[in-house]
Amino acid sequence: IMLPMISGVDEVKQARLELQRSMEELDGRHLDYDKEIELGIMIETPAAAIISDRLAEEVDFFSIGTNDLTQYTLAVDRMNTKISDLYTTYHPAVLRLIKLVADNAKKAGIWIGMCGEAAQDELLAPIFAGMGLNELSVSPTQVLRIRRLINGLSMVEMKKHSDKVLDLPNPEEVIAYLQYINK
């Protein structure tokens, strides 16, 4: 079970309580269900990313929703054509939040995935792998392309490049660096 749009620990605790009640009801009816079902959350808000260390204590996994996380981090409506050019997952603030969440997932021993357009971005996918993400959710037509891309690089290379990207000051320099290393 994956909970969307989480912004605080209490939301997760309440959901876990409701899940427990449902499990008890199923037990009372002698109905079969997965008693080991995992509970995870979407990291789509800056609040969730910032407190991901605390959230990781409450869940079995994270999935970063890059579309919403980018929009809310940059305060840019991606559907508004007047400002949509400011919307970019290449922004250092977005990338640093993703790295923070990945680090907190690793410390807690939970797996972390990613969905959204950025997960299938050829320039960013190896960077996300280098940050420690376990899974990238991509459209079926992109699976082989992204798999080949990531398998063609060593984890040492991907980590080195992700560390470099995190030190860059703006989206333009991030893009330029990624394009340079992918020549």
Side-chain angles (χ1 to χ4, degrees):
I1 298 172
M2 184 164 51
L3 306 172
M5 284 297 166
I6 295 298
S7 62
V9 172
D10 289 342
E11 294 168 300
V12 177
K13 287 183 176 184
Q14 183 62 38
R16 193 166 287 285
L17 182 62
E18 293 299 325
L19 178 61
Q20 184 60 39
R21 286 182 186 147
S22 296
M23 293 169 88
E24 290 168 4
E25 183 179 331
L26 292 170
D27 286 339
R29 293 182 182 184
H30 305 289
L31 296 173
D32 288 333
Y33 64 94
D34 182 357
K35 292 181 182 351
E36 303 298 320
I37 194 161
E38 292 184 331
L39 180 65
I41 61 171
M42 292 288 294
I43 302 287
E44 300 168 287
T45 66
I50 292 167
I51 64 165
S52 58
D53 58 334
R54 300 287 188 231
L55 290 166
E57 297 169 359
E58 304 293 331
V59 298
D60 301 303
F61 66 91
F62 287 154
S63 181
I64 298 174
T66 59
N67 296 347
D68 287 328
L69 183 61
T70 300
Q71 176 170 303
Y72 297 134
T73 299
L74 301 177
V76 173
D77 179 359
R78 64 185 182 260
M79 301 304 185
N80 182 336
T81 57
K82 292 180 182 174
I83 58 171
S84 62
D85 60 321
L86 298 173
Y87 173 91
T88 177
T89 309
Y90 295 102
H91 194 289
V94 175
L95 296 172
R96 287 181 181 191
L97 282 178
I98 292 168
K99 175 66 167 138
L100 174 67
V101 175
D103 288 348
N104 286 330
K106 183 177 181 178
K107 284 179 201 167
I110 64 173
W111 69 265
I112 179 170
M114 175 184 282
C115 61
E117 293 173 25
Q120 60 190 12
D121 183 305
E122 287 184 31
L123 295 177
L124 288 173
I127 299 305
F128 296 142
M131 288 180 182
L133 273 77
N134 306 107
E135 180 179 287
L136 299 174
S137 178
V138 302
S139 65
T141 60
Q142 302 302 315
V143 171
L144 291 177
R145 182 178 60 83
I146 296 298
R147 182 180 289 162
R148 263 189 243 116
L149 177 68
I150 290 175
N151 286 342
L153 300 168
S154 72
M155 186 53 77
V156 171
E157 280 180 287
M158 290 186 287
K159 177 153 181 20
K160 179 183 92 175
H161 294 311
S162 72
D163 290 347
K164 173 66 176 170
V165 162
L166 292 169
D167 282 337
L168 297 173
N170 58 55
E172 295 76 21
E173 288 190 42
V174 169
I175 293 167
Y177 176 75
L178 293 174
Q179 288 173 335
Y180 172 77
I181 64 170
N182 284 289
K183 283 184 182 177

Coordinates of all heavy atoms in Angstrom, one line a residue, residues 43-118:
I43 N 6.9 10.4 -1.7 CA 7.5 11.6 -1.3 C 7.3 12.6 -2.4 O 8.0 12.6 -3.4 CB 9.0 11.4 -1.0 CG1 9.3 10.3 0.0 CG2 9.7 12.7 -0.7 CD1 9.0 10.7 1.4
E44 N 6.3 13.5 -2.2 CA 5.9 14.4 -3.2 C 5.9 15.9 -2.8 O 5.7 16.8 -3.6 CB 4.5 14.1 -3.7 CG 4.3 12.7 -4.3 CD 2.9 12.3 -4.4 OE1 2.2 12.1 -3.4 OE2 2.4 12.3 -5.6
T45 N 6.1 16.1 -1.5 CA 6.1 17.4 -0.9 C 7.5 17.7 -0.3 O 8.2 16.8 0.2 CB 5.1 17.6 0.2 OG1 5.4 16.7 1.3 CG2 3.7 17.2 -0.3
P46 N 7.9 18.9 -0.3 CA 9.2 19.3 0.3 C 9.1 18.9 1.8 O 10.2 18.5 2.4 CB 9.3 20.8 0.1 CG 8.6 21.0 -1.1 CD 7.4 20.1 -1.1
A47 N 8.0 19.1 2.5 CA 7.9 18.7 3.9 C 8.2 17.2 4.1 O 9.0 16.9 5.0 CB 6.4 19.0 4.4
A48 N 7.7 16.3 3.3 CA 8.0 14.9 3.4 C 9.5 14.6 3.2 O 10.1 13.8 3.9 CB 7.1 14.1 2.4
A49 N 10.0 15.3 2.2 CA 11.5 15.1 1.9 C 12.3 15.5 3.1 O 13.2 14.8 3.5 CB 11.9 15.9 0.6
I50 N 12.0 16.7 3.6 CA 12.8 17.2 4.7 C 12.7 16.4 6.0 O 13.7 16.2 6.7 CB 12.4 18.7 5.0 CG1 12.8 19.5 3.8 CG2 13.0 19.2 6.3 CD1 12.2 20.9 3.8
I51 N 11.6 15.8 6.3 CA 11.4 14.9 7.4 C 11.5 13.4 7.1 O 11.0 12.6 7.8 CB 10.2 15.3 8.3 CG1 8.9 15.0 7.4 CG2 10.2 16.7 8.8 CD1 7.6 14.9 8.3
S52 N 12.0 13.1 5.9 CA 12.1 11.7 5.5 C 12.8 10.8 6.5 O 12.5 9.6 6.5 CB 12.7 11.6 4.1 OG 14.0 12.2 4.0
D53 N 13.7 11.4 7.3 CA 14.4 10.5 8.3 C 13.3 10.0 9.3 O 13.3 8.8 9.7 CB 15.5 11.3 9.0 CG 15.0 12.6 9.7 OD1 14.0 13.2 9.3 OD2 15.7 13.0 10.7
R54 N 12.4 10.9 9.7 CA 11.3 10.5 10.6 C 10.3 9.6 9.9 O 9.8 8.6 10.5 CB 10.6 11.7 11.2 CG 11.5 12.6 12.0 CD 11.9 12.0 13.3 NE 12.6 13.0 14.1 CZ 13.8 12.8 14.7 NH1 14.4 11.6 14.5 NH2 14.4 13.7 15.3
L55 N 10.0 9.9 8.7 CA 9.0 9.1 8.0 C 9.5 7.7 7.7 O 8.7 6.7 7.7 CB 8.6 9.8 6.7 CG 7.8 11.1 6.8 CD1 7.8 11.9 5.5 CD2 6.4 10.8 7.3
A56 N 10.8 7.6 7.5 CA 11.4 6.3 7.2 C 11.2 5.3 8.4 O 11.2 4.1 8.2 CB 12.9 6.4 6.9
E57 N 11.1 5.9 9.6 CA 10.9 5.0 10.8 C 9.5 4.4 10.8 O 9.3 3.4 11.5 CB 11.1 5.9 12.0 CG 12.5 6.4 12.2 CD 12.6 7.4 13.3 OE1 11.6 7.8 14.0 OE2 13.7 7.9 13.5
E58 N 8.6 4.9 10.0 CA 7.2 4.5 10.0 C 6.8 3.6 8.9 O 5.6 3.1 8.9 CB 6.3 5.7 10.1 CG 6.6 6.7 11.2 CD 6.3 6.1 12.6 OE1 5.4 5.2 12.7 OE2 7.0 6.5 13.6
V59 N 7.6 3.5 7.8 CA 7.1 2.9 6.6 C 8.1 1.8 6.1 O 9.3 1.8 6.6 CB 6.9 3.9 5.5 CG1 5.8 4.9 5.9 CG2 8.1 4.6 5.1
D60 N 7.7 1.1 5.1 CA 8.6 0.0 4.6 C 9.3 0.4 3.3 O 10.2 -0.2 2.9 CB 7.7 -1.2 4.3 CG 7.0 -1.8 5.5 OD1 7.7 -2.1 6.5 OD2 5.8 -1.9 5.5
F61 N 8.8 1.5 2.7 CA 9.4 2.0 1.5 C 9.0 3.4 1.1 O 8.0 3.9 1.7 CB 9.1 1.1 0.3 CG 7.7 1.0 -0.2 CD1 7.2 1.9 -1.1 CD2 6.8 0.1 0.4 CE1 5.9 1.9 -1.5 CE2 5.5 0.1 0.0 CZ 5.0 1.0 -1.0
F62 N 9.8 4.0 0.3 CA 9.5 5.4 -0.3 C 9.4 5.3 -1.8 O 10.1 4.5 -2.4 CB 10.6 6.4 0.0 CG 10.8 6.9 1.4 CD1 12.1 7.3 1.8 CD2 9.7 7.0 2.3 CE1 12.2 7.8 3.1 CE2 9.9 7.5 3.6 CZ 11.2 7.9 4.0
S63 N 8.6 6.1 -2.4 CA 8.6 6.3 -3.8 C 8.6 7.8 -4.0 O 7.6 8.5 -3.6 CB 7.4 5.7 -4.5 OG 7.5 5.9 -5.9
I64 N 9.6 8.4 -4.6 CA 9.6 9.8 -4.9 C 8.8 10.1 -6.1 O 9.1 9.6 -7.2 CB 11.1 10.3 -5.1 CG1 11.9 10.0 -3.8 CG2 11.1 11.8 -5.4 CD1 13.4 10.3 -4.0
G65 N 7.9 11.0 -6.0 CA 7.1 11.5 -7.1 C 7.7 12.7 -7.6 O 7.4 13.8 -7.1
T66 N 8.5 12.6 -8.7 CA 9.3 13.8 -9.1 C 8.5 14.9 -9.7 O 8.8 16.1 -9.6 CB 10.4 13.4 -10.1 OG1 9.7 12.8 -11.3 CG2 11.4 12.4 -9.5
N67 N 7.4 14.6 -10.3 CA 6.6 15.7 -10.9 C 6.1 16.6 -9.9 O 6.2 17.9 -10.0 CB 5.4 15.1 -11.7 CG 5.8 14.3 -12.9 OD1 7.0 14.3 -13.3 ND2 4.9 13.5 -13.5
D68 N 5.4 16.1 -8.8 CA 4.9 17.0 -7.8 C 6.0 17.5 -6.9 O 5.9 18.7 -6.5 CB 3.9 16.2 -6.9 CG 2.5 16.0 -7.6 OD1 2.2 16.9 -8.4 OD2 1.9 15.0 -7.4
L69 N 7.0 16.7 -6.6 CA 8.1 17.2 -5.7 C 8.8 18.4 -6.4 O 9.0 19.4 -5.8 CB 9.1 16.2 -5.5 CG 10.3 16.6 -4.5 CD1 9.7 17.0 -3.2 CD2 11.3 15.5 -4.4
T70 N 9.0 18.4 -7.7 CA 9.6 19.5 -8.4 C 8.7 20.7 -8.4 O 9.1 21.8 -8.1 CB 9.9 19.1 -9.9 OG1 10.8 17.9 -9.9 CG2 10.5 20.2 -10.7
Q71 N 7.4 20.5 -8.7 CA 6.4 21.6 -8.7 C 6.3 22.3 -7.4 O 6.4 23.5 -7.3 CB 5.1 21.1 -9.1 CG 4.0 22.1 -9.1 CD 2.7 21.7 -9.7 OE1 2.7 21.3 -10.9 NE2 1.6 21.7 -9.0
Y72 N 6.2 21.5 -6.3 CA 6.1 22.1 -5.0 C 7.4 22.7 -4.5 O 7.3 23.7 -3.7 CB 5.5 21.1 -4.0 CG 4.1 20.7 -4.4 CD1 3.8 19.3 -4.4 CD2 3.1 21.6 -4.9 CE1 2.5 18.9 -4.8 CE2 1.9 21.2 -5.3 CZ 1.6 19.8 -5.2 OH 0.3 19.4 -5.6
T73 N 8.5 22.1 -4.8 CA 9.8 22.7 -4.3 C 10.0 24.0 -5.0 O 10.5 24.9 -4.3 CB 10.9 21.7 -4.7 OG1 10.7 20.5 -4.0 CG2 12.3 22.2 -4.2
L74 N 9.8 24.1 -6.3 CA 10.1 25.3 -7.0 C 8.9 26.3 -7.0 O 9.0 27.4 -7.6 CB 10.5 25.0 -8.4 CG 11.7 24.1 -8.6 CD1 12.0 23.7 -10.0 CD2 12.9 24.7 -7.9
A75 N 7.7 25.9 -6.5 CA 6.5 26.8 -6.5 C 6.2 27.2 -7.9 O 5.9 28.4 -8.1 CB 6.7 28.0 -5.5
V76 N 6.2 26.2 -8.8 CA 6.0 26.5 -10.2 C 4.9 25.5 -10.7 O 5.0 24.3 -10.6 CB 7.2 26.3 -11.1 CG1 6.9 26.4 -12.5 CG2 8.3 27.3 -10.7
D77 N 3.8 26.1 -11.1 CA 2.7 25.3 -11.7 C 3.2 24.8 -13.1 O 3.3 25.6 -14.0 CB 1.4 26.1 -11.8 CG 0.3 25.3 -12.4 OD1 0.5 24.2 -12.8 OD2 -0.8 25.9 -12.5
R78 N 3.4 23.5 -13.2 CA 4.0 23.0 -14.5 C 3.0 23.1 -15.7 O 3.4 23.0 -16.8 CB 4.5 21.6 -14.4 CG 3.4 20.6 -14.0 CD 4.1 19.2 -13.8 NE 3.2 18.2 -13.5 CZ 2.9 17.7 -12.3 NH1 3.5 18.2 -11.2 NH2 2.0 16.8 -12.1
M79 N 1.7 23.4 -15.3 CA 0.7 23.5 -16.4 C 0.5 24.9 -16.8 O -0.2 25.2 -17.8 CB -0.6 22.9 -15.9 CG -0.5 21.5 -15.5 SD 0.1 20.5 -16.9 CE -0.1 18.8 -16.2
N80 N 1.1 25.9 -16.1 CA 0.9 27.3 -16.4 C 2.0 27.6 -17.5 O 3.2 27.7 -17.1 CB 1.1 28.1 -15.2 CG 0.9 29.6 -15.4 OD1 1.0 30.1 -16.5 ND2 0.5 30.3 -14.4
T81 N 1.6 27.9 -18.7 CA 2.5 28.1 -19.8 C 3.4 29.4 -19.6 O 4.4 29.5 -20.1 CB 1.8 28.2 -21.1 OG1 0.8 29.2 -21.1 CG2 1.2 26.8 -21.5
K82 N 2.9 30.3 -18.8 CA 3.6 31.6 -18.5 C 4.9 31.3 -17.7 O 5.8 32.1 -17.7 CB 2.7 32.6 -17.9 CG 1.6 33.1 -18.8 CD 0.7 34.1 -18.1 CE -0.4 34.5 -19.0 NZ -1.3 35.4 -18.4
I83 N 4.9 30.3 -16.8 CA 6.0 30.1 -15.9 C 6.5 28.7 -16.0 O 7.5 28.3 -15.3 CB 5.6 30.4 -14.5 CG1 4.4 29.6 -14.0 CG2 5.4 31.9 -14.3 CD1 4.2 29.7 -12.5
S84 N 6.0 27.8 -16.9 CA 6.4 26.4 -16.9 C 7.9 26.2 -17.3 O 8.4 25.2 -16.9 CB 5.5 25.6 -17.9 OG 5.6 26.1 -19.2
D85 N 8.5 27.2 -17.9 CA 9.9 27.1 -18.2 C 10.8 27.1 -16.9 O 11.9 26.7 -17.0 CB 10.4 28.1 -19.2 CG 10.2 29.6 -18.7 OD1 9.1 29.8 -18.0 OD2 11.0 30.4 -18.9
L86 N 10.2 27.5 -15.8 CA 11.0 27.5 -14.5 C 10.9 26.1 -13.9 O 11.6 25.9 -12.9 CB 10.4 28.5 -13.6 CG 10.5 30.0 -14.0 CD1 9.7 30.9 -13.1 CD2 11.9 30.4 -14.2
Y87 N 10.0 25.3 -14.4 CA 9.8 23.9 -13.8 C 10.9 23.0 -14.4 O 11.0 22.8 -15.6 CB 8.4 23.4 -14.2 CG 8.2 22.0 -13.8 CD1 7.6 21.6 -12.6 CD2 8.6 20.9 -14.7 CE1 7.4 20.3 -12.3 CE2 8.3 19.6 -14.3 CZ 7.8 19.3 -13.1 OH 7.6 18.0 -12.8
T88 N 11.8 22.5 -13.5 CA 12.9 21.6 -14.0 C 13.4 20.8 -12.9 O 13.8 21.3 -11.8 CB 14.0 22.4 -14.6 OG1 15.1 21.4 -15.0 CG2 14.6 23.5 -13.8
T89 N 13.4 19.5 -13.1 CA 14.0 18.6 -12.1 C 15.5 18.7 -12.0 O 16.1 18.2 -11.1 CB 13.6 17.1 -12.4 OG1 12.2 17.1 -12.6 CG2 13.9 16.2 -11.3
Y90 N 16.1 19.4 -13.0 CA 17.5 19.6 -12.9 C 17.9 20.7 -11.9 O 19.1 21.0 -11.7 CB 18.0 20.1 -14.3 CG 17.9 19.0 -15.4 CD1 16.9 19.1 -16.3 CD2 18.8 18.0 -15.5 CE1 16.8 18.1 -17.3 CE2 18.7 17.0 -16.5 CZ 17.7 17.1 -17.4 OH 17.6 16.2 -18.4
H91 N 17.0 21.3 -11.3 CA 17.3 22.4 -10.3 C 18.0 21.7 -9.1 O 17.6 20.7 -8.6 CB 16.0 23.0 -9.8 CG 16.2 24.3 -9.0 ND1 16.7 24.3 -7.8 CD2 15.9 25.6 -9.4 CE1 16.8 25.6 -7.4 NE2 16.3 26.3 -8.4
P92 N 19.1 22.3 -8.6 CA 19.8 21.8 -7.5 C 19.0 21.5 -6.2 O 19.2 20.6 -5.5 CB 20.9 22.8 -7.2 CG 21.1 23.5 -8.6 CD 19.7 23.5 -9.2
A93 N 18.0 22.4 -6.0 CA 17.2 22.2 -4.8 C 16.4 20.8 -4.9 O 16.3 20.1 -3.9 CB 16.2 23.3 -4.6
V94 N 15.9 20.5 -6.1 CA 15.1 19.3 -6.3 C 16.1 18.1 -6.1 O 15.8 17.1 -5.4 CB 14.4 19.3 -7.6 CG1 13.8 18.0 -7.9 CG2 13.4 20.4 -7.7
L95 N 17.2 18.2 -6.8 CA 18.2 17.1 -6.7 C 18.7 16.9 -5.3 O 18.9 15.7 -4.9 CB 19.3 17.4 -7.7 CG 18.9 17.4 -9.2 CD1 20.1 17.9 -10.0 CD2 18.4 16.1 -9.6
R96 N 18.9 17.9 -4.6 CA 19.4 17.8 -3.2 C 18.3 17.1 -2.3 O 18.6 16.4 -1.4 CB 19.8 19.1 -2.6 CG 21.2 19.6 -3.2 CD 21.6 20.9 -2.6 NE 22.9 21.3 -3.2 CZ 23.6 22.3 -2.8 NH1 23.2 23.0 -1.7 NH2 24.7 22.6 -3.4
L97 N 17.0 17.5 -2.5 CA 16.0 16.8 -1.8 C 15.9 15.4 -2.1 O 15.7 14.5 -1.2 CB 14.6 17.5 -2.1 CG 14.4 18.8 -1.4 CD1 13.0 19.4 -1.8 CD2 14.4 18.7 0.1
I98 N 16.0 15.0 -3.4 CA 16.0 13.6 -3.7 C 17.2 12.9 -3.1 O 17.0 11.8 -2.5 CB 16.1 13.5 -5.3 CG1 14.8 14.0 -5.9 CG2 16.4 12.0 -5.7 CD1 14.8 14.1 -7.4
K99 N 18.3 13.4 -3.0 CA 19.5 12.8 -2.4 C 19.3 12.7 -0.9 O 19.6 11.6 -0.3 CB 20.8 13.7 -2.6 CG 22.0 13.2 -1.9 CD 22.5 11.8 -2.4 CE 23.9 11.6 -1.9 NZ 24.0 10.2 -1.4
L100 N 18.7 13.7 -0.3 CA 18.3 13.6 1.2 C 17.4 12.4 1.5 O 17.6 11.7 2.4 CB 17.7 14.9 1.6 CG 17.2 15.0 3.1 CD1 18.3 14.9 4.1 CD2 16.3 16.2 3.3
V101 N 16.4 12.3 0.7 CA 15.4 11.2 0.8 C 16.1 9.8 0.6 O 15.9 8.9 1.4 CB 14.2 11.4 -0.1 CG1 13.3 10.2 0.0 CG2 13.5 12.7 0.2
A102 N 17.0 9.8 -0.4 CA 17.7 8.5 -0.7 C 18.6 8.1 0.5 O 18.6 7.0 0.9 CB 18.5 8.6 -2.0
D103 N 19.3 9.1 1.0 CA 20.2 8.9 2.2 C 19.4 8.4 3.4 O 19.8 7.5 4.1 CB 21.0 10.1 2.5 CG 22.1 10.4 1.5 OD1 22.4 9.6 0.6 OD2 22.6 11.6 1.6
N104 N 18.3 9.0 3.6 CA 17.4 8.7 4.8 C 16.8 7.3 4.6 O 16.7 6.5 5.6 CB 16.4 9.7 5.1 CG 17.0 11.0 5.7 OD1 18.0 10.9 6.4 ND2 16.4 12.1 5.5
A105 N 16.5 6.9 3.4 CA 15.9 5.6 3.2 C 17.0 4.6 3.5 O 16.8 3.5 4.1 CB 15.4 5.5 1.7
K106 N 18.2 4.8 3.0 CA 19.3 3.9 3.2 C 19.7 3.7 4.6 O 19.8 2.6 5.1 CB 20.6 4.4 2.4 CG 21.8 3.5 2.5 CD 22.9 4.0 1.7 CE 24.1 3.0 1.8 NZ 25.2 3.4 1.0
K107 N 19.7 4.8 5.4 CA 20.0 4.8 6.8 C 18.9 3.9 7.6 O 19.3 3.2 8.5 CB 20.0 6.2 7.4 CG 21.2 7.0 7.1 CD 21.1 8.4 7.8 CE 22.1 9.3 7.1 NZ 21.8 10.7 7.5
A108 N 17.7 4.0 7.1 CA 16.6 3.3 7.7 C 16.5 1.8 7.2 O 15.7 1.0 7.8 CB 15.3 4.0 7.5
G109 N 17.2 1.5 6.2 CA 17.2 0.2 5.6 C 15.9 -0.1 4.9 O 15.5 -1.3 4.8
I110 N 15.3 0.9 4.3 CA 14.1 0.7 3.5 C 14.4 1.0 2.0 O 15.4 1.7 1.7 CB 12.9 1.6 3.9 CG1 13.2 3.1 3.7 CG2 12.5 1.2 5.4 CD1 12.0 4.0 4.0
W111 N 13.7 0.3 1.1 CA 14.0 0.6 -0.3 C 13.3 1.9 -0.8 O 12.3 2.3 -0.2 CB 13.6 -0.6 -1.2 CG 12.2 -1.0 -1.4 CD1 11.5 -1.9 -0.6 CD2 11.3 -0.5 -2.3 NE1 10.2 -2.0 -1.1 CE2 10.0 -1.1 -2.1 CE3 11.4 0.5 -3.3 CZ2 8.9 -0.8 -2.9 CZ3 10.2 0.7 -4.1 CH2 9.0 0.1 -3.9
I112 N 13.9 2.4 -1.8 CA 13.4 3.7 -2.4 C 13.3 3.6 -3.9 O 14.2 3.1 -4.6 CB 14.3 4.8 -1.9 CG1 13.7 6.2 -2.5 CG2 15.7 4.6 -2.3 CD1 14.4 7.4 -1.9
G113 N 12.2 4.0 -4.4 CA 11.9 4.0 -5.8 C 11.6 5.5 -6.3 O 11.6 6.4 -5.4
M114 N 11.4 5.6 -7.5 CA 11.0 6.9 -8.1 C 10.1 6.7 -9.2 O 10.2 5.8 -10.0 CB 12.3 7.6 -8.6 CG 12.0 9.0 -9.3 SD 13.5 9.7 -10.0 CE 14.2 10.4 -8.5
C115 N 9.1 7.6 -9.3 CA 8.2 7.7 -10.5 C 8.2 9.1 -11.0 O 8.7 10.0 -10.3 CB 6.8 7.1 -10.1 SG 6.0 8.0 -8.9
G116 N 7.6 9.3 -12.1 CA 7.5 10.6 -12.7 C 8.4 10.7 -13.9 O 9.2 9.8 -14.2
E117 N 8.3 11.8 -14.6 CA 9.0 12.0 -15.8 C 10.5 11.9 -15.7 O 11.2 11.4 -16.5 CB 8.6 13.3 -16.5 CG 7.2 13.3 -16.9 CD 6.7 14.7 -17.4 OE1 7.6 15.5 -17.8 OE2 5.5 14.9 -17.4
A118 N 11.0 12.4 -14.6 CA 12.5 12.4 -14.3 C 13.1 11.0 -14.3 O 14.2 10.8 -14.6 CB 12.8 13.2 -13.1

